[in-house]
Structures are given as structure tokens and as C-alpha cells.
Amino acid sequence: MSCAVDSVRDPFNNSWKTLRFPNIKPSELLLLFLKAGLAASTFFLITLVFHLTLSYSQPHYHNNNHTSVKYVVQPQKTTQEQPPANISHLFFGIGGSVATWDTRRQYSELWWRPGVTRGFVWLDRHPGNSTWPETSPPYKVSGNTSAFNYTCSYGSRSAIRIARIVKESFELGVENVRWFVMGDDDTVFFTDNLVMVLSKYDHNEMYYVGGNSESVEQDVIHFYTMAFGGGGFAISYPLAKELVRILDGCIDRYAEFYGSDQKIQSCISEIGVQVTKEPGFHQVDIHGSPYGLLASHPVVPLVSLHHLDYVDPIFPNMTRVEAVRKLMTTYETDSGRALQKSFCYDLRRNWSVSVSWGYSVEIYPSLRTVKELEMAFQTFRTWRSWSDGPFTFNTRPVSSDPCEKPVVYMLDRVLNVGGNKTRSIYRRHRDSSGNVCAREDYVRVSVVQYVDVYAPHLISEAWKKAPRRQCCEIMNGSDGMDKNVISVKMRGCHRFESVTPP
Ligand SMILES: *[C@@H]1O[C@H](CO)[C@@H](O)[C@H](O)[C@H]1NC(C)=O
Ligand SMILES: *[C@@H]1O[C@H](CO)[C@@H](O)[C@H](O)[C@H]1NC(C)=O
Ligand SMILES: *[C@@H]1O[C@H](CO)[C@@H](O)[C@H](O)[C@H]1NC(C)=O
Ligand SMILES: *[C@@H]1O[C@H](CO)[C@@H](O)[C@H](O)[C@H]1NC(C)=O
Ligand SMILES: *[C@@H]1O[C@H](CO)[C@@H](O)[C@H](O)[C@H]1NC(C)=O
Ligand SMILES: *[C@@H]1O[C@H](CO)[C@@H](O)[C@H](O)[C@H]1NC(C)=O
Ligand SMILES: *[C@@H]1O[C@H](CO)[C@@H](O)[C@H](O)[C@H]1NC(C)=O
Ligand SMILES: *[C@@H]1O[C@H](CO)[C@@H](O)[C@H](O)[C@H]1NC(C)=O
Ligand SMILES: *[C@@H]1O[C@H](CO)[C@@H](O)[C@H](O)[C@H]1NC(C)=O
């Protein structure tokens, strides 16, 4: 009797959980009982029916692998019982290579916090006998991928190795990981914001979080359904667990796809999980000046930037890395507010002021609509073909007439001024053309050399509410004593407040 039951129980392994229910009909199971000449006891029959019902009601019955079913059966804590997510619940997998690490590590080291952030940079081979920098993430050497197929004529086989980082990271079996976060060696993560954004989602469910490319041509060639790898993406633990099971087979099935991120998305698609798009992840698939992109950030926390070696330095007159370091210090002063926009009118002078906190301020000597102010200046071209678009967001052209452009101020420095408030100072920026508008209304603006922005720390609770742009007001007296400076206060909007010209 027990033998017969075991033959049912144990087609693969010694556990009920291994039953391939989709392939074995209940009638066949009954037949097995009969074949074994059993007078099946009611007890066993009931047990069997019970387990059948139970297993069919499990959402993961399609898994024929006991390891994945096991996790479903495991009791799961509800989110209420769990402490809030912090940086140690993230496990990073950075796609690197020995040849590029020495230059790219400048970007990783901007955000990597030794002893705090967890994860590895994955290399193509051992880095030799030179000392590995202590400021770098620790490294691991990826497994041999020569057995896998790669048939994309214009791509690189390294895509296979990078795609497998999520699997190799998972298989390290590190404790207390809620999210596996993948990125490139030139991805800059804003980790506090990343934690804040990911904590919106229940890490006990299967989530795949990331963003698209800014260049439509890239989304067409690759996929709109995909989280682009350079901008980085996060895979929750339960999704990683299902993904690693099918990943290797999947990599061969999608051998013709160019990128590691395409292969990952294809495999996740087989599981049926969809990308959850978060617009704070930035692939930065553009060429030229990133000014327009950064000065019109969507109303979400800044999570990542990528490709910073392929665009102009984000602040003028600095090296690329120094410029990113400057943005990092801004972000460290008030992470939630970095790049957040705010528009206000100075009705005594009929000026429009547009703040992009921690980055730039624009002043127009006229009252412009919010719809105009919120649209990105197209200071860049598309990634692949260097075209004028299209992009996945609306852009407005940059006029060559200086009287059509705002007067621009770039961040000089940010200070904490106590009471959880910051003061950020922006200095008048003269563009390289040297052209200035001689019209009287412009000249009055051009007298202003500095914009002083006061703001309370944007607490993370604000990001748990429906997204709303911050409001601002021009502070009284700022045109009195010192015509060189105007002061602006950023704050949450009041009820029934809107930026509406009189
Ligand atoms: C089940 O998972 C184990 C460990 O991950 C793996 O070795 C095995 O090949 C998997 N079996 C199937 C049928 O996918
Ligand atoms: C993160 O939260 C865990 C509890 O889940 C705690 O043990 C750990 O100390 C926290 N880490 C940090 C860096 O706050
Ligand atoms: C690495 O080892 C080789 C020989 O084993 C030696 O010639 C070389 O100087 C070493 N390099 C460093 C950076 O230690
Ligand atoms: C990878 O595996 C192949 C055989 O599958 C072998 O020929 C090759 O030498 C291996 N490469 C490394 C770096 O171990
Ligand atoms: C790899 O490609 C070769 C040639 O197209 C094919 O014969 C082989 O079956 C493929 N291997 C896998 C694992 O798909
Ligand atoms: C650029 O930086 C250098 C040195 O930091 C400084 O001397 C120069 O005035 C700066 N140029 C501009 C246009 O700000
Ligand atoms: C501001 O504009 C309004 C209407 O456009 C006009 O009536 C008013 O005189 C202007 N004020 C100043 C200070 O220019
Ligand atoms: C700053 O914020 C923290 C936490 O939000 C709060 O505990 C503290 O009292 C605040 N400090 C001041 C001076 O307002
Ligand atoms: C500026 O002064 C006006 C009245 O004189 C007042 O209504 C307004 O609230 C003041 N604004 C600020 C930012 O202090």
C-alpha cells in the first residue's frame, strides 16, 4: 500500500510537492491505485484529494520543479510584520569587465558604500595580481558561458554573461535579500531613492521594476516591455527564484537577441510577469547635452543615471565625473528633492521662474504657461541615429535667438541651514555662444547673478502620496537691497493652489 502511494508521491523526488499535476490527470492517479491492487483506504483517498485540491489552488501549480513549489508552500510573512526596506535588503549585480573597470569604477564608486551596499561587480576574468580597490564593490568572476548560443550578428557574447548575473547572484544564497538590482559599471544609482521607490512594492510578490529608453528608436529595436539594463532594474526575490530556474534554457531560446536585458525580459515574459515602469530610472540613451533631460525631471524620485561618458558633463566647466559628484552632494543633502521641479511667477515684474532643485533655475521675463515650462528643452539627439527625435517624452526646440531663451542659472552649491532646511545657490550661466538678448526686459533679468532657493527637506512620506509638483514663491524684498540676487522658497502646494497666470 505504501509502495503504491509512494509511486504516486514520488515520481521525481520524495515529496508530494513534486507531483506534476498538470500532466497527471486525477483519473490516472486513481488508476495507479487500482493497478497496484490496492483497496485504497478512505484515509489515503481523502489525503490525495486534499492535496490535489490544495495544489491546484496554488498559483504556481505549473511549476514542475519542487524547489519552486516549496517556496509557495512556505509560510510567508505579511508585509505588516516586516521591517521597512533599507539599503541592506538590496543585492546589486553590476555587469563589468577587467578592461573597462579601471575607468568605469569612477561611476560605481560614486554610489557604492563599502560595508553598507551589498553585491558584486561581475568580471569576465580574474583581474590579475593587482590590488582590488577598497572603494570598489567586491568582484566575482562570471561562470564560463561558452556552451551558450549567441547569434546576434552585431552584438557581443558578453550579453550572455551579463544576463546570468542575476542567477549567479541568486545562487550565492545571501540572506535577507528582497530585491536583486542589476546595473552596468557606468550606472550611477541614487540608492536612498531606489530604496524609497522599491518599498512601494510588496517584495513578496513577483516584481520587475525599471524604465525604458528615452529614444523611441531604441524602444522599437529592443522592447517597450523591457527595463533597460543600463538604467538598472530590480527583480524581487520571488521573481528571481522563478527566473533562475528557466534562465539558462531561455538564453539559448533567445540567442538572436542583442542585449542581456532583452534576454532577461524574454525569460520574465515566459513567467508572465510584466515590467513595472518607474520613470526615475534613466537609461540616458541620448547624445549631446543632458541639460534638457535633467532640468525637466518627472515628478518621481531620481533613481539612476547611465551613459554619462556619452553626454556632455552635466555641469559646465567640469569633468564628467566631478560633475556627477556635484549632483551626488546635492542628492545627499536632500535625496527626495534632487531634480524636483517647481514653477512660480514674480507678479511684480511679470517673470516666470522655473526651479529644478539642485541643478538649475530658469527665469523668463514674461509669464509663460506651465505647459511650456514643464516641457524638456531638446538639447540632445537620439542614441542610435543622432536624430532630432522622437523621444518618449515631449520636447521643445532650443531657439538660436537669445531673446527666445530663458536666462539660465546653474547650481553653485547646496547648504544645510538647520531645521531640516536647505539653501541652494544657482549662479548665472552664460552659454558658449556668448549671445545675449539686448531687449530691456531681458537686461533686467540679466542683472540677477544668483538665485537663492530655500526648501524644507522633502520627506519620503511625500512620495507615498499621489505625485504632485512642489510649489514655490518669490520671497519679498529680494528685489530691494540686492538686485543681483532673487530668493525663492520651495514648498508643498496649498489646497486649491495652482500656477495660473493672472
Ligand atoms: C529544478 O531546480 C534544480 C535546482 O535549481 C535544477 O538543478 C533542476 O534542473 C530543476 N529541474 C527542472 C525540471 O527544471
Ligand atoms: C535594515 O533592516 C534590517 C531589518 O530588516 C536591520 O536588521 C538592518 O540593520 C537594517 N540595515 C540598515 C543599514 O539600516
Ligand atoms: C604580477 O605578477 C607578475 C609575475 O607573477 C609580476 O611580474 C608582476 O609585476 C605582478 N604585478 C603586480 C601589479 O603585482
Ligand atoms: C570554457 O569552457 C570551454 C568548454 O566548454 C573550454 O574550452 C574553455 O577553455 C573554458 N574557458 C575558460 C575560461 O575556462
Ligand atoms: C546552438 O546552435 C547550434 C547551431 O545553430 C545548434 O545546433 C544547437 O542545438 C544550439 N544549442 C542550443 C543549446 O540551443
Ligand atoms: C572654469 O573653471 C576654471 C577653473 O576651475 C575657472 O578658472 C574658469 O573661470 C571657469 N570658466 C567658466 C566659464 O566658468
Ligand atoms: C504684467 O502684465 C500685465 C498683463 O499682462 C500688465 O497689466 C502689467 O502692467 C504687467 N506688470 C508689469 C510690472 O510689467
Ligand atoms: C528634522 O527631521 C527629523 C526627522 O524628520 C526630526 O526628528 C527632527 O526633529 C527635525 N529637526 C528639526 C530641527 O526640525
Ligand atoms: C510678500 O508680501 C506679501 C504682502 O506684502 C504677502 O502677502 C506675501 O505672503 C509675502 N510673501 C512672502 C514669501 O513672504
Side-chain angles (χ1 to χ4, degrees):
M1 181 158 69
S2 64
C3 159
V5 171
D6 278 347
S7 74
V8 178
R9 270 191 161 195
D10 199 16
F12 307 101
N13 261 311
N14 195 14
S15 163
W16 267 109
K17 295 156 194 151
T18 62
L19 280 176
R20 281 176 174 251
F21 282 117
N23 301 340
I24 303 180
K25 296 191 195 91
S27 60
E28 287 170 355
L29 288 170
L30 205 57
L31 209 62
L32 279 166
F33 271 83
L34 298 174
K35 270 187 187 159
L38 281 178
S41 77
T42 327
F43 171 77
F44 273 110
L45 203 55
I46 287 171
T47 316
L48 179 69
V49 169
F50 174 74
H51 277 281
L52 267 173
T53 321
L54 190 75
S55 300
Y56 268 114
S57 65
Q58 295 288 352
H60 302 278
Y61 65 85
H62 61 276
N63 278 321
N64 50 26
N65 193 311
H66 71 282
T67 54
S68 18
V69 175
K70 223 188 253 164
Y71 104 77
V72 169
V73 175
Q74 262 173 15
Q76 294 203 357
K77 286 186 194 163
T78 66
T79 36
Q80 275 88 3
E81 292 169 41
Q82 298 202 342
N86 63 42
I87 186 70
S88 30
H89 296 114
L90 272 45
F91 197 81
F92 290 92
I94 304 157
S97 70
V98 170
T100 58
W101 186 249
D102 228 29
T103 50
R104 295 283 181 83
R105 72 187 176 96
Q106 312 178 87
Y107 290 114
S108 299
E109 288 174 359
L110 284 173
W111 61 270
W112 183 262
R113 287 187 269 160
V116 177
T117 37
R118 300 196 296 165
F120 292 98
V121 53
W122 293 81
L123 301 175
D124 48 341
R125 58 185 166 83
H126 204 272
N129 52 5
S130 56
T131 328
W132 189 252
E134 279 178 16
T135 43
S136 285
Y139 72 86
K140 289 221 174 265
V141 179
S142 299
N144 191 341
T145 59
S146 59
F148 291 91
N149 277 351
Y150 186 83
T151 55
C152 176
S153 59
Y154 57 90
S156 154
R157 282 190 61 87
S158 66
I160 301 166
R161 187 174 72 77
I162 307 296
R164 293 187 76 253
I165 289 177
V166 62
K167 181 172 159 78
E168 292 190 85
S169 298
F170 183 88
E171 287 170 352
L172 296 173
V174 175
E175 302 257 292
N176 290 322
V177 175
R178 296 186 185 178
W179 298 92
F180 291 92
V181 179
M182 302 294 120
D184 281 355
D185 50 4
D186 60 343
T187 306
V188 176
F189 284 110
F190 297 83
T191 50
D192 292 345
N193 292 350
L194 176 61
V195 170
M196 190 155 69
V197 163
L198 293 179
S199 24
K200 291 197 297 187
Y201 304 103
D202 182 354
H203 62 275
N204 292 308
E205 302 218 16
M206 294 199 283
Y207 273 109
Y208 166 49
V209 185
N212 277 166
S213 169
E214 293 82 358
S215 289
V216 165
E217 60 193 19
Q218 287 286 89
D219 294 316
V220 169
I221 294 166
H222 303 103
F223 314 123
Y224 278 103
T225 48
M226 175 179 105
F228 277 63
F233 57 86
I235 290 179
S236 65
Y237 187 91
L239 177 57
K241 188 157 191 165
E242 295 220 5
L243 177 63
V244 300
R245 198 179 59 86
I246 59 168
L247 187 68
D248 283 349
C250 218
I251 284 173
D252 277 327
R253 209 156 29 252
Y254 300 104
E256 81 274 21
F257 287 154
Y258 167 85
S260 57
D261 43 11
Q262 285 178 290
K263 294 174 197 288
I264 292 284
Q265 191 273 326
S266 305
C267 302
I268 290 179
S269 179
E270 293 191 355
I271 299 167
V273 169
Q274 310 295 300
V275 66
T276 298
K277 289 184 191 172
E278 273 289 346
F281 288 85
H282 299 284
Q283 170 78 4
V284 192
D285 270 351
I286 54 171
H287 287 287
S289 168
Y291 177 86
L293 184 72
L294 299 177
S296 64
H297 199 266
V299 183
V300 292
L302 168 66
V303 172
S304 71
L305 291 173
H306 174 237
H307 274 162
L308 294 169
D309 269 341
Y310 299 88
V311 289
D312 297 346
I314 62 178
F315 286 105
N317 202 24
M318 294 183 109
T319 68
R320 291 187 166 84
V321 173
E322 278 171 1
V324 185
R325 188 169 292 128
K326 182 168 179 166
L327 185 65
M328 288 306 274
T329 52
T330 319
Y331 146 82
E332 280 158 10
T333 317
D334 186 359
S335 51
R337 198 182 283 281
L339 300 187
Q340 291 308 303
K341 299 240 39 158
S342 196
F343 310 122
C344 42
Y345 297 128
D346 182 340
L347 294 176
R348 288 166 304 173
R349 294 174 282 201
N350 283 350
W351 289 358
S352 305
V353 176
S354 166
V355 179
S356 178
W357 190 84
Y359 186 60
S360 73
V361 174
E362 296 165 1
I363 304 182
Y364 299 75
S366 54
L367 301 181
R368 305 295 181 104
T369 63
V370 159
K371 271 315 293 172
E372 182 185 352
L373 297 175
E374 76 175 1
M375 202 179 288
F377 276 118
Q378 200 204 306
T379 57
F380 42 78
R381 293 178 164 264
T382 63
W383 178 252
R384 179 174 292 257
S385 63
W386 298 65
S387 313
D388 265 334
F391 299 96
T392 49
F393 48 90
N394 299 109
T395 58
R396 51 181 161 151
V398 181
S399 171
S400 56
D401 177 0
C403 296
E404 290 298 316
K405 294 195 265 196
V407 179
V408 173
Y409 300 80
M410 296 301 296
L411 179 78
D412 188 60
R413 59 192 191 277
V414 186
L415 314 161
N416 263 312
V417 291
N420 293 334
K421 291 195 182 79
T422 59
R423 174 186 177 194
S424 47
I425 301 164
Y426 306 78
R427 187 215 294 249
R428 167 100 193 276
H429 173 68
R430 286 166 184 80
D431 74 22
S432 50
S433 73
N435 296 336
V436 285
C437 177
R439 223 169 58 208
E440 200 187 325
D441 55 348
Y442 260 89
V443 171
R444 275 200 296 273
V445 175
S446 306
V447 170
V448 176
Q449 294 302 311
Y450 291 96
V451 180
D452 234 350
V453 176
Y454 294 86
H457 283 170
L458 194 59
I459 53 166
S460 56
E461 292 307 306
W463 286 122
K464 294 189 179 136
K465 301 184 172 172
R468 184 178 185 185
R469 201 195 308 112
Q470 290 265 304
C471 281
C472 60
E473 52 192 277
I474 310 297
M475 288 164 80
N476 288 336
S478 58
D479 61 341
M481 299 294 286
D482 190 353
K483 285 198 189 314
N484 286 342
V485 182
I486 72 163
S487 301
V488 177
K489 188 167 95 182
M490 258 174 113
R491 53 163 177 78
C493 301
H494 300 139
R495 211 169 165 221
F496 300 121
E497 183 171 10
S498 61
V499 185
T500 305

